[in-house]
Amino acid sequence: MMKELNTVISPPETVNVRDLVRDRQANNLRVDVLAEAVRPWFADWSGSREVAEAIDGLSSPERREAAARFLGLELVSVA
């Protein structure tokens, strides 16, 4: 006899992101696409290893806050 599993799949976290240095923002972004969504904002810094690593860090829950701070981004969780 197989047991029925009740699995609750929660939707990905969504954030609003605002660039505190330049006049840019994006609303209702899923955090799993956050890094790629803001990457074009930093095209002028594409040669910087630190900036590239910080952008990649936006994909990691453990590194997201520090990466956003380094990049001058404000992340606000939305429902």
Side-chain angles (χ1 to χ4, degrees):
M1 179 178 198
M2 294 183 70
K3 291 184 179 180
E4 190 174 316
L5 296 176
N6 292 328
T7 306
V8 176
I9 300 173
S10 33
E13 184 181 355
T14 305
V15 295
N16 292 338
V17 58
R18 184 169 64 107
D19 186 330
L20 299 173
V21 178
R22 297 168 215 86
D23 188 27
R24 297 179 179 151
Q25 73 177 42
N27 296 322
N28 298 314
L29 286 176
R30 293 187 343 237
V31 293
D32 59 334
V33 298
L34 177 60
E36 294 312 311
V38 302
R39 192 174 302 276
W41 296 1
F42 298 94
D44 292 346
W45 297 90
S46 63
S48 168
R49 183 176 52 92
E50 292 85 1
V51 170
E53 288 176 0
I55 293 170
D56 292 339
L58 294 171
S59 298
S60 168
E62 298 83 18
R63 296 174 41 208
R64 187 172 297 127
E65 186 177 328
R69 192 171 35 253
F70 177 83
L71 295 168
L73 302 176
E74 175 184 54
L75 304 178
V76 178
S77 190
V78 294

